[in-house]
Amino acid sequence: MRLGFLVDLSRCMGCMACAVSCKAENNVPLESWRLRVKYIDQGEFPETKRHYVPLRCNHCENAPCERICPVSALHYLPNGIVNVDHDRCIGCASCMMACPYNAIYIDPVTNSADKCTYCAHRIEVGLMPACVVACPTHANIFGDLDDPESEISKYLQEHRDVMVRKPELNTKPKHFYVRGSDVALDPLASERPEGFTLFTEVKFLEHIGGH
Amino acid sequence: MRLTRRTFLKGTAATIGGVALAKGVFEKTNTPAVAEQNEEITFTPERLDYYPPFDKWNNWREPDGDYWKLKGGALRNGVKMINYMLVPTVCNNCEAACGLTAWVDKDNLVVKKFMGNPFHSGSRGRNCAKGYAAQSQMYDPDRIPFPLKRAPGSKRGEGKWVRTTWDEALKEIAKKIREAITSGSELERKMIMYHVGRPNESGGFTARVVWTWGGDHHNSHTNICSAGGRLGGITWAGDDRPSPDFANSRLIFLSASHAADAGHYYQQHAGYIADARAKGAKLVIMDPRLSNSAGMADLWIPVWPGTEAAVYLAMISRLLQEDKYNRRFMERWVNWKSFLKDKDYLNYLKENGFISKLPEGETFDDFIAVLKEIYKPYTFEWAAEETKVPVYKLEKLYEMILWAGDRITSYFWRAQAAGNRGGWMNAGRTGYFLLVVTGAIGNVGGNGWHHWHVLGVGAKGGKATLKEKPKPVDDWNELLWPPEWPLSTYELSYLLPHLLSDDEWRKKWEKRGLKIPSKLKVWISKIYNPVWINPDGFRWIEVLRDENKVELPVNLSPTWSETNWYCDYILPVGLAGERHDNQSAETKPERWTAFRQPVLRVALQKMGWKPKVPWRATLEAHKKAGLGEVWEENEFWINLIWEIDPDGSLGIRQYYESKKNPGKPVTIEEWYDAAFGTLPKLRKVCEKLGVTPYEYMRDRGAWTEETDVYNVHEREVPYDPVKNAIKYKGKWIPLSECEIDEDSGAVYLKHHGADHWHSERHTIAVKKDGKFLKGFHTPTGLLEFYSKTLVEWKWPEYAIPIYPRDKEERKKMVHIVSHVHHDYMTEENAFALNPIFRLPYNIHTRSVNAKWLMEISQNHNPIWIYEGDAKRLGIKRGDAIKLRVVDTVSGIEVGYFVGMAMPTQATRPGVVACSHHSGRWRLRSTVKVDKYELGVMRYGTALADMKEEGTVRKIRWIKGVERFKVEKQGDEFKWPYPDFNKDMEYVWWKGDTGVWQNAVFPANPDPLSGMHCWHKKVLIEKAGPEDKIGDVVVDIEKTLKVYQAWRDVLTRPAPGPNNLRRPKWFPRPWYPHTDKAYRMPMGESHGE
Amino acid sequence: MLGAEVTFDVALPKVVWGWLVSTNMWAKSISTGAFFIGLYFIKKYPDNDAFFRKWLPLLGLVFIGITLLVTILDLHHEFRFWKIFLFAHFTSAVTIGAWVVSGYVLILLAAFWSWVTGNRKIFDRLVIPGFILAFFSTIYTAGILAQSTAREVWTFPAEMISMLLSATLAGSAAYLIVGLIYGSLNEKIKKELSYILFGSAGLLAAMFIGEIVFAKMHSEYAEKVVEIMAFGEVAPWFWGGMFLAFIVPMVLVGIAAEKKKFEYALLGSLSALVGLWLIKHAWLIAPQSLPLS
Ligand SMILES: Nc1nc2c(c(=O)[nH]1)N[C@H]1C(S)=C(S)[C@@H](COP(=O)(O)OP(=O)(O)OC[C@H]3O[C@@H](n4cnc5c(=O)[nH]c(N)nc54)[C@H](O)[C@@H]3O)O[C@H]1N2
Ligand SMILES: Nc1nc2c(c(=O)[nH]1)N[C@H]1C(S)=C(S)[C@@H](COP(=O)(O)OP(=O)(O)OC[C@H]3O[C@@H](n4cnc5c(=O)[nH]c(N)nc54)[C@H](O)[C@@H]3O)O[C@H]1N2
Ligand code: SF4
Ligand code: SF4
Ligand code: SF4
Ligand code: SF4
Ligand code: SF4
Ligand SMILES: [Mo]
């Protein structure tokens, strides 16, 4: 079993249900996100467009975070999930330096590294991750990549525009996007000016974890 | 309290049933809907399901996600299983009424999370961010744990509070109400008012409560919301909103943001729209602002606000000229014959230059010929000029319309309808016309109507009481329905403080025999924050503070709000998972209904707990579970009734006296068992399962009575040839008591000259081809292209869908021209301000008590301004800018506010935008009550300094949000939930970049619909060195003058024909009024 | 203007590894540099090795101590560092580094013991393992940086060479300073140390300039990082570092060696150490200034 994720970006409406459901399910504290949704405005009036893109851990098959973790706090589960262990973690933040997708953060309450686990605990009892259940538009598709009959496998077979983020880094993400675009998936294809925007204050945190 | 497994199971034996999950819940997955039966945990489950199987809802074991991450899960230090009970309830964060399940940890009675409810066929087990955030609202550290009363000796607004009891509150409120009722005076009765925001209950439980008091007590919020959206539907079909079949349509053409941001049935509609798009449907969004919906649409039409009619009429015009209209549908269902027969009216059109000659015949082709002539001037080029949208976009839209045929869906609610004077014409009146012309009404992929699909039974529990139904009331409260707005769709709620402040106005109408109160004895508000969300908030503060105007203001609110700061009682009733309501919504062509419940109470009861006083069970349960002295509305009202009429002598008690236990109040179980028992199909299923309707709904939370509800207007009305009667609402009505309109086939009750006055008609069926059909709820039973009612109420120029063709006409037809039309933008720095749009993760003022929603939204509402405009004015990102609010009717400048400029490509030139969710404030960060320190909206508001200088009011931010440590206070309850709120120390947003724009808006009632017209003309300049973002300065004398100008210059007051206060077929919402109530006192002359 | 702009995002972590890590790398350069250079002189001038036999362990231990201290201080769980030995995960350059440095510390302790007791053999027997451990202690950081896949500018061979040159730069500078303060070095050695410093600075500067010019070829990300380093918010650190670490020492040390005015070398060495910290810091921070997703 290789669990994988796929987001159909033509369905995603940027509602953040996934992001908030994840907070509830995994008790993710303020200041931290296992899953975030980014908006990008593109183009000039009257042909302006807005892109929405949910970003979470890719559960890379060749995961730099797992490789660099000195104590195996990050480790693979038999179903392909890259799991975290707060008790084990020494808080060296190497994983944050290694993950090319910004998927890891230091949890300010536990002071350990944390990230999306594909809701590994729910998988254990045969339930979908919280963010998949939440999604109003069924943009989140989750399942076993090894099972050709799973919805995700079929989606992958039926779509020609499957993308992953930063394929050139050879991390082999198990998180796919369809109907995506460079603007949505490449962080350097848009500007991220610090300061207030239409919706929120876009910023970098001064503190990482409760040091 | 903690029970053994065995007693728990005993308590739930009745819940095991096997009804399949709602159709469509899991249609996109190939896995069956239920989790595998395997109790063991495994890394490689055979299936992945969305929800656990129903038979395990009472006892579902699932690893704790928090523990998992801490201990590293099954390969490391193991998992902790939580013993859950899944209790269904209904989300309360918007009108969509999506299903929720509360995942109650049975071992310590806390709700670990809320998820969706797979039995709810509208929401399909899905929710938006606000649904999931219900948990953060529940365990908000700043929520109110017990009833509060203004401290004796303090003034309102001073912020001094003492702890009180529910009993004391009940006594004091009941005493005042009882006094008014026993006085026998209509005027006194009118001084008792219940005022609700978005009730989130269907079928009218609370309305029935208020109704039993015998007067005209029920006020709502609706005219700041959707009155303008409703009038178009009412004049076309007698129904106030569409019920589109989004999922099956080919073109979704919205002047709204339902696809991604908001909309009345937000996430459900968005889900259906996404489904349709996946099948190839096109999405078009008409909006001056790039909403999230527009941002992902196939076509964005960035129209100038309030000119949408031009787009609709241009499309219609082209369809007519090219003979692409839907003849079959129009000929059958439009009241064209009545139109062609009314020669007076045709002459009126001719005199006003809309037609050159009267049609020769009275056939459908003649009708089309007339239409072609009327609408010919509305060309694409003209529309482009009027709307400032390039022609190529209109051409694209037209192609999509042709391609979609009759599978076009839309929704008319706010947007132009709420923003602009004449919004009703620019939205529904011309918008439905396009749907009618394409025939997209009632069909698959088209638009049904609200009443076809909604299924509210909340008030139908009367069978469980000694007396089922109260009598229609005689009173007519002018504070709710001032005579100036006879066609208003709802109460002129936002004018309450203005009406109470305006002695001249009151005296003027008193001279004509009306009895208008000068004050209120009791004002009870619920889910309502008028100080903040209404226009002219300082006027609300003014009146609420005045003990001579409002003797006893009460707010039923679980949280702090700007409004309850000025009340005498704050009564913490429960949130989504803490109270009973029935709620339904017409979210698809289906009839579903859902049950909101206090989930901890249900869990406790299922585990064998019993309340001491059954009619106070929710309060007892909440205390028991440690939630605090949090009650619910239903039981509160029933108990209040018993306080008002303890011995039954007023005849009120009987409506809430249990049939099962005479002499005792009806219980929730009895009430809702009777209410849901009115659904025949549900009853049948319950019989099969051996459960009561109450139990069914308690355990599953939702029920779908009927699916695929299309073309209801074509359905036959039962006719009995022997009795020569037709069946209407369960009663046989002899045709001898009816008349039939030959032109339309409308069958209406004989009554007060209804043959002559459409305003008097009560149509119950339409006769077509010898059959009686349901038709539409209009005087002609048909879709009314021509509304004779409007002619009767002295608005002949707007009786057909119309729009001025040039500047001259715009001056004459000022009532339907936006007050922010580009004609008015004469200064260099003049802009139209769009202050009405929702953010998908905010809900009006209900996010301030949800840390997860505040973290996303940050109390930040900058001013969106087109980059080109900003450059022209030398304005940069983040600059403080001043928006001076100027009225275009009176020319008065009322004040200004200072916001943060955000130059963008996401709003059209000339139109700036500012969201209303943010700019929230508090006057104190904490209050000490009893031995407790209660936090006041600390992480979602700015701390404000409020000033009064003569009639000028000012507000300025002192600081933004706060970080704080949440510590246990006392042992009485679990509040303020330190376990859940460890992260309040990490609040990282600032919260002081928003502005309370509503405070600077004068009340601008639309002359027809009564809608508050939200948009404002503003003059923008860079703020000076003294100004600060968040500043508000407004003169409340000037705002009052503006309101008076709108009233005096624009309205055409009642009475209408036969001294009517409003058309009889425009029913009063909430509960029925007698014919007498509908008429103004006779003997005065009110002619022109 | 790219025509696309983020309009909604949550706050992201920015500098994950800050001045503590810069200090770590800097101090380690000094410690291992002291080992390499000291070893070189001990081997080359066995008759004149007392100075190095004393200062090699002293400098080595003090600065590796600083390295270890800041490493532990930088952990979000300071008191869990022992887990790295108990739950060692050997694919991680961090783990390897911890073990290697531990070995290196043992060697240094032995060297120290050798000096204290005057038993030269202890040290002499550990020369080869010592060299290997010092070598790996220096370059494992390059491994960590390379394993920091997210920061696409850092590639292994270049970082490795850079680390080694940093060590020789720092080591020679450190000995010059100590030697000049205590006045206990002969002119030849001083001159030779100066040339090592001069050469290391020159080569290292070339490496950095090379990276600046060519890193943009790795990827767009690297190009942006270089932009930030050369012209952006990190530029003052970087150019300050370039100036102090390379230009100033090359000039001063050059003058010192040629003109035999070793006061200049003292200044140049101090400047080199300060500059080295700055440039390490700039090099560490710049790739952390970009959003990764
Ligand atoms: N997320 C979320 N959903 C909600 C709510 C909420 O608070 N949050 N509230 C609920 C409630 S109470 C209501 S009434 C509904 C309302 O939902 P809608 O009827 O969709 O109304 P609005 O959000 O007011 O406005 C919709 C869009 O109209 C645009 N608009 C503004 N002025 C004009 C104009 O003059 N012309 C045109 N063409 N467009 C204009 C706005 O920019 C906005 O994008 O939403 C409900 N759903
Ligand atoms: N500028 C501007 N102003 C607007 C709008 C706009 O688009 N622009 N939209 C308007 C519209 S459409 C509407 S409908 C109104 C909405 O305005 P309101 O009807 O006032 O709605 P809310 O702000 O959602 O809720 C009001 C209060 O209800 C209380 N409350 C919260 N949850 C519960 C609960 O579960 N039970 C009870 N009993 N009380 C609760 C809280 O005190 C909260 O402050 O705002 C209007 N105001
Ligand atoms: S819940 Fe679904 S639609 Fe909403 S932001 Fe997440 S992926 Fe997109
Ligand atoms: S996305 Fe990042 S955190 Fe997730 S597996 Fe890949 S490298 Fe690790
Ligand atoms: S921070 Fe924790 S999880 Fe990340 S690499 Fe270090 S020990 Fe491993
Ligand atoms: S799979 Fe679970 S942990 Fe990952 S983003 Fe979704 S909800 Fe969060
Ligand atoms: S759409 Fe409305 S009712 Fe549904 S989950 Fe969201 S807030 Fe709740
Ligand atoms: Mo509303």
Side-chain angles (χ1 to χ4, degrees), chain B residues 950-1074:
Chain B
T951 57
V952 174
R953 300 288 178 272
K954 296 181 175 174
I955 200 164
R956 166 164 283 190
W957 303 156
I958 303 169
K959 68 171 181 185
V961 297
E962 278 171 25
R963 296 178 156 204
F964 50 95
K965 218 181 162 96
V966 179
E967 271 153 12
K968 188 111 186 62
Q969 296 196 26
D971 297 324
E972 224 178 321
F973 6 76
K974 290 177 183 154
W975 170 88
Y977 318 109
D979 279 349
F980 183 76
N981 290 307
K982 286 189 194 121
D983 57 351
M984 297 314 299
E985 286 180 67
Y986 305 106
V987 167
W988 57 274
W989 54 96
K990 300 193 174 76
D992 59 356
T993 53
V995 58
W996 179 31
Q997 55 179 336
N998 284 6
V1000 198
F1001 298 169
N1004 293 153
D1006 182 272
L1008 282 97
S1009 70
M1011 176 82 217
H1012 168 62
C1013 302
W1014 278 102
H1015 291 353
K1016 293 291 164 280
K1017 175 180 170 179
V1018 290
L1019 300 174
I1020 295 187
E1021 55 199 52
K1022 280 177 111 167
E1026 297 298 303
D1027 301 315
K1028 225 175 122 182
I1029 288 173
D1031 281 1
V1032 165
V1033 174
V1034 59
D1035 186 331
I1036 60 169
E1037 235 0 81
K1038 288 186 180 162
T1039 53
L1040 189 69
K1041 292 235 158 65
V1042 171
Y1043 148 66
Q1044 286 164 336
W1046 279 60
R1047 180 192 67 197
D1048 298 337
V1049 176
L1050 299 170
T1051 65
R1052 297 177 189 169
N1058 290 344
N1059 246 11
L1060 278 175
R1061 292 188 189 246
R1062 69 197 259 105
K1064 285 232 52 186
W1065 69 276
F1066 277 36
R1068 283 286 309 266
W1070 314 117
Y1071 47 87
H1073 287 61
T1074 59

Side-chain angles (χ1 to χ4, degrees), chain B residues 4-142:
Chain B
T4 62
R5 173 86 57 85
R6 180 174 308 219
T7 46
F8 162 61
L9 282 178
K10 225 176 12 194
T12 58
T15 64
I16 318 295
V19 173
L21 290 173
K23 193 179 125 203
V25 175
F26 302 114
E27 64 200 357
K28 290 308 285 179
T29 67
N30 56 353
T31 46
V34 287
E36 57 173 349
Q37 309 297 307
N38 190 356
E39 269 267 340
E40 301 297 317
I41 60 168
T42 165
F43 283 113
T44 52
E46 271 160 42
R47 288 201 308 264
L48 286 172
D49 302 320
Y50 285 67
Y51 287 92
F54 176 65
D55 59 9
K56 293 199 177 165
W57 279 23
N58 285 329
N59 189 19
W60 174 248
R61 285 164 60 75
E62 184 180 302
D64 180 359
D66 200 24
Y67 190 88
W68 178 283
K69 79 179 176 200
L70 293 179
K71 302 288 172 186
L75 283 187
R76 292 282 161 86
N77 292 324
V79 300
K80 181 172 116 196
M81 301 299 276
I82 299 189
N83 295 311
Y84 281 119
M85 180 189 290
L86 273 67
V87 183
T89 183
V90 177
C91 181
N92 179 48
N93 275 337
C94 83
E95 296 79 353
C98 300
L100 288 179
T101 42
W103 295 52
V104 181
D105 178 343
K106 288 188 290 185
D107 295 325
N108 50 19
L109 281 177
V110 296
V111 176
K112 295 290 277 186
K113 59 188 168 188
F114 285 97
M115 299 190 90
N117 179 359
F119 285 107
H120 189 292
S121 66
S123 60
R124 304 185 282 180
R126 307 172 186 180
N127 297 89
C128 76
K130 307 184 295 301
Y132 278 84
Q135 191 202 4
S136 57
Q137 293 174 316
M138 183 165 186
Y139 297 127
D140 167 27
D142 286 356

Side-chain angles (χ1 to χ4, degrees), chain A residues 145-191:
Chain A
L145 296 168
D146 283 343
D147 172 4
E149 289 305 304
S150 66
E151 189 187 8
I152 189 169
S153 296
K154 286 193 186 149
Y155 229 96
L156 289 170
Q157 285 148 25
E158 283 160 19
H159 288 80
R160 283 161 190 281
D161 56 350
V162 177
M163 295 172 84
V164 297
R165 288 186 279 155
K166 303 190 184 172
E168 68 282 0
L169 294 182
N170 197 32
T171 53
K172 303 215 176 111
K174 290 200 302 296
H175 187 297
F176 306 93
Y177 294 90
V178 303
R179 314 232 176 85
S181 60
D182 274 351
V183 172
L185 297 182
D186 176 357
L188 300 178
S190 59
E191 285 194 55

Side-chain angles (χ1 to χ4, degrees), chain B residues 85 127 219 391 424 625 642 681 752 788 806 922 965:
Chain B
M85 180 189 290
N127 297 89
N219 207 345
V391 170
W424 66 278
W642 281 69
K681 284 190 189 155
H752 286 293
K788 190 156 173 264
D806 53 32
R922 63 184 187 274
K965 218 181 162 96

Side-chain angles (χ1 to χ4, degrees), chain A residues 26-141:
Chain A
N26 297 294
N27 195 10
V28 178
L30 297 178
E31 216 179 54
S32 325
W33 308 82
R34 285 182 171 204
L35 155 60
R36 70 187 220 267
V37 182
K38 191 164 85 164
Y39 291 5
I40 302 143
D41 282 16
Q42 185 189 25
E44 283 187 11
F45 180 89
E47 297 300 336
T48 326
K49 285 268 163 209
R50 186 163 295 143
H51 303 262
Y52 317 103
V53 49
L55 301 165
R56 57 170 85 65
C57 167
N58 295 311
H59 295 264
C60 306
E61 267 175 270
N62 180 18
C65 65
E66 188 270 348
R67 186 165 45 236
I68 204 173
C69 178
V71 293
S72 294
L74 294 163
H75 59 280
Y76 282 105
L77 298 184
N79 49 21
I81 287 174
V82 178
N83 196 34
V84 296
D85 178 345
H86 285 219
D87 271 1
R88 174 73 64 85
C89 171
I90 61 171
C92 65
S94 310
C95 48
M96 294 175 74
M97 295 299 285
C99 170
Y101 309 98
N102 225 335
I104 311 188
Y105 57 90
I106 300 284
D107 181 316
V109 175
T110 67
N111 247 342
S112 295
D114 196 39
K115 66 169 196 61
C116 161
T117 58
Y118 277 176
C119 285
H121 62 289
R122 278 174 64 86
I123 306 296
E124 298 286 295
V125 287
L127 289 181
M128 286 281 184
C131 57
V132 178
V133 177
C135 181
T137 61
H138 196 65
N140 286 321
I141 290 146

Side-chain angles (χ1 to χ4, degrees), chain B residues 95 198 221-222 224-226 230 264 413-414 838 844:
Chain B
E95 296 79 353
R198 282 153 319 117
H221 74 297
T222 300
I224 40 104
C225 171
S226 47
R230 297 176 199 244
H264 225 200
W413 199 243
R414 285 179 53 79
R838 276 121 192 69
H844 301 296

